[in-house]
Amino acid sequence: MSDYAPLVLTVPEPAVRPGGTPDFSNVKIPRAGTVARPEIDAEPESIRDLAFSIIRVLNRDAEAVGPWAGLLTDEELRAGLRDMMTLRAFDARMLIAQRQGKTSFYMQHMGEEAISCAFRKALEPGDMNFPTYRQAGLLIAGGYSLVDMMCQIFSNEKDPLKGRQLPVLYSARDHGFFSLSGNLTTQFIQAVGWAMASAIKNDTKIAAAWTGDGATAEGDFHAALVFASTYKAPVVLNVVNNQWAISTFQGIAKGGSGTFAARGLGFGIASLRVDGNDYLAVHAVAKWAAERARRNLGPTLVEYVTYRVGAHSTSDDPTAYRPKTESDAWPLGDPVIRLKNHLIARGAWSEERHKQAEAEVMDTVIAAQKEAESYGTLHAGGHPSMRDMFEGVYAEMPPHLRRQRQKAGV
Amino acid sequence: MIEAIRDAMDVMMARDGDVVVFGEDVGFFGGVFRATQGLQAKYGKTRCFDAPISELGIVGAAVGMAAYGLKPCIEIQFADYMYPAYDQIVSEAARLRYRSNGQFTCPMVIRMPAGGGIFGGQTHSQSPEALFTHVCGLKTVVPSNPVDAKGLLIAAIEDPDPVIFLEPKRIYNGPFDGHHDRPVVPWSKHELGEVPDGHYAVPLGKAAVRRTGADVTVLAYGTMVHVALAAAEETGVDAEVIDLRTLVPLDLDAITASVGKTGRCVIVHEATQTSGFGAELSALVQETCFYHLEAPVARVTGWDTPYPHAQEWDYFPGPARVGRALLETMEQ
Ligand SMILES: Cc1ncc(C[n+]2csc(CCOP(=O)(O)OP(=O)(O)O)c2C)c(N)n1
Ligand SMILES: [Mg+2]
């Protein structure tokens, strides 16, 4: 006879399901300005606590406080606000366009705008992002053409990717935006490889890897951490923890590790957590991590604590798996409103200017959409050719593919 | 067809306490295609649960469970996402029985939505069946309708070896015949949409004749069965359409009986051509029916390019391309 009680399988569950009252009391949020800012060359071991806290700059009164504050000018902050507003307007228009059948699919950023928009400002020309589908702010804040983005989404005759890729899986080499694969986390390790190449060639460029919370479970993530750690690759390893992976809450990927940032500790990687809805905090941490990489001090893992306000994609309905009002209860607020209030508190912005900017931003996005639509949408107007489909598989088309193209009559 | 697949898992979970179901989003939510909806509520979260997003983890864990004695029926969210798990499938699940001389076995089913026709681009459209049929130790099943889907899935779960179960997602809601500009008739209006209650099995390794004909044999599976039927009707060619249902083990007798009668053979699949399953079929027809053949064996397949987004209907082997192949084969 065994002395042991029967084993039982643990399957984590989110605190609340549809019908329940949203509850984020488990998300411990330190006061803004209270987390220390280590020296740039701090040993990862000496800053372990940063993997369990949340670096925040904007306080409840919309003031920028603490050691991570003070990096950005009024002008830069206004530009940041405009980037986030543009991304939000872009999302709104593309969601409507998808419903109108102008594209097959779209993925929005609502609530997560600060992360990609602010991170982009910490990079230099030549640096390379290996993004996921929820970092279009890297393009917008980098000045990439809205029309080109929309042409990709509409798969039209000016689609830079010739209709080959699913909407939002952009590629923009000149803008430091690596070709998006769609297979989760495959690119996390590629960013490390890119960074290693920069070091091998004694270059000064760095790379940035991106993943969501859910996708950290992929083996590629763990491979990336060991490579980054072993070779001290000049890379920033970004984990966007928006609490959800489609219908799966973050506890399934995180298991017992406490935070996603803590995943880096076992690899000896400097690991920080930051308020992902705080433009100033995101920017400050991104700068710090990029600076470490550029000074050959090795990789940094950054977990952005945020919330996916919208549906996962246009194929998803989140009311089936989480309370409708959960996003209202999210304790870190809205990134656009928080930056807007901060600018007003600084005396560098006003409600009127904000309203006016909203209208201008929407006009810009609508004008871009008009132009993009003049080149066609998924089922109407100009579209990529059937020849485009056969080209680009190889540098030079091999005979068997040439024969197939002939057979297809193009 | 989704309901039929869910029903098969429901029937097997009720009959056999060793059947467990897991995968990305399959627990509370019931899967992105809702194939496991209600199973967690009914059987509890230790028999139907969400997995971390790690396909190698899902399959690797299932191999361990199967070796222990469970019968995992796991979901890979899209066949396009199985590649991280390929090592676990090829080197582990497929060979466990052989290399341990039967000490350990791997009775499990890996369900994956596959195939195109939904504007899913290259990450939601692939047909990787040949990557499985090439692996010794695996069985590979592709249903073409709800009645078969349920019976085949039950047979797959009861099978003592690992089975790859590819679900053509384009026919989840109805028998899509490739005419993308026409509405799809729902399964409720189709005789093979009337799924019997309770337990029944459609044996692995048995093909079905969907249309009898005298002039040419069409070998197809999954969505392409419906495309082939449409092509036969539209061209007036008296084609015999064989739905293979299981690729490994293959019902070679059904193929040779038909080609022996018609003397002509057209093979249709969505997957790319080079080293596709059509190549295997073509070789087998040549080996077993050579003296009956009156025309070269023809293949209609996806082009040898990654699956495109905008050019979906140029890529997808629709009734026009299949019809042309039927007519060309008849002219030989
Ligand atoms: C290898 C692979 N497996 C599964 C998927 C399907 N899939 C797409 S997004 C997603 C959820 C990802 O969640 P998370 O990493 O948290 O990112 P988020 O969508 O929240 O930004 C899943 C399962 C995929 N694209 N690739
Ligand atoms: Mg997420």
Side-chain angles (χ1 to χ4, degrees):
Chain A
M1 280 296 283
S2 167
D3 289 341
Y4 301 107
L7 296 163
V8 282
L9 186 73
T10 300
V11 181
E13 276 289 330
V16 195
R17 286 294 192 185
T21 308
D23 178 13
F24 285 112
S25 54
N26 59 332
V27 185
K28 279 190 221 76
I29 299 183
R31 282 210 338 273
T34 55
V35 178
R37 184 174 197 279
E39 290 304 320
I40 205 76
D41 58 354
E43 281 301 320
E45 193 55 33
S46 69
I47 56 168
R48 288 176 68 93
D49 54 328
L50 293 190
F52 299 98
S53 192
I54 302 180
I55 296 164
R56 306 180 64 229
V57 171
L58 293 176
N59 69 14
R60 248 184 263 151
D61 300 323
E63 298 155 342
V65 294
W68 295 88
L71 289 183
L72 292 164
T73 63
D74 289 354
E75 199 48 52
E76 288 166 331
L77 287 170
R78 279 193 295 260
L81 181 64
R82 188 170 282 262
D83 290 338
M84 291 198 286
M85 291 166 74
T86 305
L87 178 54
R88 194 165 279 191
F90 187 94
D91 278 350
R93 293 298 303 182
M94 292 301 102
L95 285 173
I96 296 170
Q98 193 274 341
R99 261 180 254 130
Q100 293 169 333
K102 291 173 181 169
T103 179
S104 58
F105 180 79
Y106 191 71
M107 300 183 90
Q108 60 167 316
H109 304 73
M110 182 65 92
E112 302 176 38
E113 291 90 344
I115 299 163
S116 53
C117 288
F119 188 89
R120 180 66 183 78
K121 298 296 188 187
L123 296 182
E124 300 289 336
D127 294 343
M128 187 59 73
N129 284 287
F130 290 72
T132 82
Y133 42 74
R134 234 185 283 282
Q135 273 94 45
L138 295 171
L139 289 172
I140 287 177
Y144 186 67
S145 148
L146 299 182
V147 176
D148 284 356
M149 289 170 77
M150 289 174 181
C151 288
Q152 197 280 329
I153 291 165
F154 293 145
S155 288
N156 64 22
E157 66 189 15
K158 290 234 169 148
D159 173 359
L161 310 182
K162 302 202 183 277
R164 294 173 187 151
Q165 261 292 43
L166 194 69
V168 313
L169 301 188
Y170 315 103
S171 177
R173 185 177 178 130
D174 293 346
H175 283 254
F177 195 98
F178 192 75
S179 157
L180 252 160
S181 138
N183 292 59
L184 293 171
T185 341
T186 44
Q187 306 190 280
F188 212 73
I189 177 67
Q190 294 165 7
V192 177
W194 180 286
M196 287 168 64
S198 180
I200 290 168
K201 297 299 282 181
N202 310 122
D203 204 342
T204 58
K205 298 182 178 71
I206 65 168
W210 293 87
T211 176
D213 46 47
T216 60
E218 293 283 8
D220 317 53
F221 175 77
H222 303 267
L225 294 196
V226 72
F227 273 67
S229 160
T230 297
Y231 298 107
K232 279 193 151 210
V235 63
V236 185
L237 304 162
N238 296 303
V239 178
V240 180
N241 175 6
N242 62 7
Q243 312 302 316
W244 290 95
I246 311 185
S247 78
T248 304
F249 89 118
Q250 42 110 18
I252 292 284
K254 196 175 64 182
S257 86
T259 69
F260 287 95
R263 290 265 187 253
L265 298 180
F267 293 89
I269 294 175
S271 303
L272 290 69
R273 275 179 109 214
V274 56
D275 178 346
N277 292 19
D278 179 339
Y279 185 93
L280 286 83
V282 169
H283 175 264
V285 168
K287 265 276 194 224
W288 189 86
E291 184 68 13
R292 272 176 73 84
R294 221 177 294 280
R295 291 201 193 178
N296 214 34
L297 295 166
T300 305
L301 183 96
V302 184
E303 175 185 346
Y304 303 88
V305 183
T306 185
Y307 184 82
R308 195 196 79 210
V309 174
H312 170 72
S313 72
T314 47
S315 312
D316 177 46
D317 172 14
T319 59
Y321 52 80
R322 65 184 194 189
K324 251 194 193 119
T325 53
E326 197 180 80
S327 67
D328 302 334
W330 176 244
L332 292 176
D334 177 85
V336 174
I337 295 174
R338 283 176 70 191
L339 182 52
K340 169 192 154 194
N341 289 344
H342 174 59
L343 275 163
I344 292 174
R346 278 166 89 110
W349 199 238
S350 68
E351 288 292 350
E352 299 76 64
R353 286 178 77 178
H354 192 77
K355 266 212 187 72
Q356 193 189 335
E358 257 173 354
E360 282 166 18
V361 158
M362 192 48 93
D363 283 351
T364 308
V365 171
I366 287 173
Q369 184 176 359
K370 237 182 163 167
E371 183 183 344
E373 288 189 10
S374 75
Y375 308 127
T377 55
L378 181 58
H379 299 295
H383 51 81
S385 75
M386 198 171 168
R387 273 185 92 85
D388 289 331
M389 176 179 83
F390 284 100
E391 269 150 24
V393 185
Y394 299 92
E396 203 177 315
M397 191 178 292
H400 75 277
L401 205 50
R402 203 170 289 283
R403 280 196 299 274
Q404 289 187 17
R405 194 180 66 181
Q406 266 159 13
K407 196 162 182 191
V410 291
Chain B
M1 196 158 91
I2 282 286
E3 294 76 10
I5 288 162
R6 183 189 310 139
D7 197 18
M9 287 185 274
D10 192 357
V11 165
M12 289 311 296
M13 288 178 89
R15 278 169 76 103
D16 184 347
D18 287 338
V19 176
V20 293
V21 168
F22 62 102
E24 294 157 19
D25 300 294
V26 310
F28 183 84
F29 183 53
V32 294
F33 289 103
R34 317 319 294 276
T36 57
Q37 195 172 16
L39 296 181
Q40 183 177 75
K42 192 162 169 188
Y43 299 101
K45 64 177 189 180
T46 60
R47 294 204 45 213
C48 176
F49 51 91
D50 286 334
I53 303 173
S54 170
E55 291 73 16
L56 83 86
I58 293 166
V59 177
V63 172
M65 290 179 198
Y68 179 92
L70 299 186
K71 290 182 181 162
C73 177
I74 55 178
E75 177 177 301
I76 298 293
Q77 199 161 79
F78 285 87
D80 317 67
Y81 302 143
M82 71 84 186
Y83 303 102
Y86 200 52
D87 194 26
Q88 288 290 341
I89 296 171
V90 175
S91 316
E92 306 302 323
R95 297 188 203 147
L96 194 53
R97 174 188 297 282
Y98 186 79
R99 73 171 194 234
S100 72
N101 195 23
Q103 287 176 24
F104 298 100
T105 61
C106 197
M108 65 189 245
V109 179
I110 311 180
R111 296 180 36 248
M112 318 181 194
I118 62 156
F119 276 100
Q122 58 181 336
T123 48
H124 305 90
S125 309
Q126 294 165 52
S127 299
E129 65 271 14
L131 298 178
F132 301 116
T133 59
H134 194 57
V135 177
C136 321
L138 296 179
K139 297 180 178 177
T140 300
V141 177
V142 190
S144 73
N145 62 76
V147 171
D148 279 1
K150 178 174 171 185
L152 287 166
L153 184 52
I154 288 175
I157 295 171
E158 290 176 337
D159 197 272
D161 287 309
V163 179
I164 306 292
F165 196 85
L166 295 167
E167 301 168 4
K169 64 181 88 72
R170 181 61 220 228
I171 57 170
Y172 271 154
N173 299 320
F176 179 65
D177 64 6
H179 285 293
H180 51 90
D181 42 1
R182 299 181 196 162
V184 171
V185 184
W187 280 117
S188 56
K189 300 225 169 81
H190 194 283
E191 55 172 355
L192 291 171
E194 261 177 59
V195 178
D197 286 336
H199 178 278
Y200 68 92
V202 172
L204 306 187
K206 281 267 166 279
V209 178
R210 296 294 171 208
R211 182 190 194 280
T212 47
D215 290 346
V216 51
T217 299
V218 180
L219 303 179
Y221 46 92
T223 308
M224 288 299 131
V225 171
H226 306 285
V227 173
L229 289 170
E233 289 317 312
E234 287 159 25
T235 53
V237 173
D238 190 17
E240 179 144 298
V241 176
I242 298 191
D243 176 356
L244 296 174
R245 302 202 283 199
T246 309
L247 307 188
V248 176
L250 182 70
D251 190 350
L252 188 56
D253 291 346
I255 295 172
T256 50
S258 179
V259 179
K261 179 176 79 176
T262 62
R264 290 180 162 85
C265 181
V266 172
I267 297 160
V268 190
H269 60 60
E270 282 183 63
T272 50
Q273 182 165 97
T274 302
S275 303
F277 194 66
E280 177 65 24
L281 290 171
S282 176
L284 286 168
V285 168
Q286 186 272 135
E287 284 165 23
T288 56
C289 306
F290 184 74
Y291 296 104
H292 297 278
L293 285 177
E294 291 167 39
V297 177
R299 284 182 287 170
V300 185
T301 69
W303 308 111
D304 282 346
T305 77
Y307 201 106
H309 176 253
Q311 301 92 337
E312 172 135 54
W313 302 125
D314 297 327
Y315 184 89
F316 192 88
R321 273 176 68 201
V322 176
R324 217 175 303 133
L326 291 179
L327 292 170
E328 279 167 18
T329 301
M330 290 312 299
E331 278 164 18
Q332 305 265 342

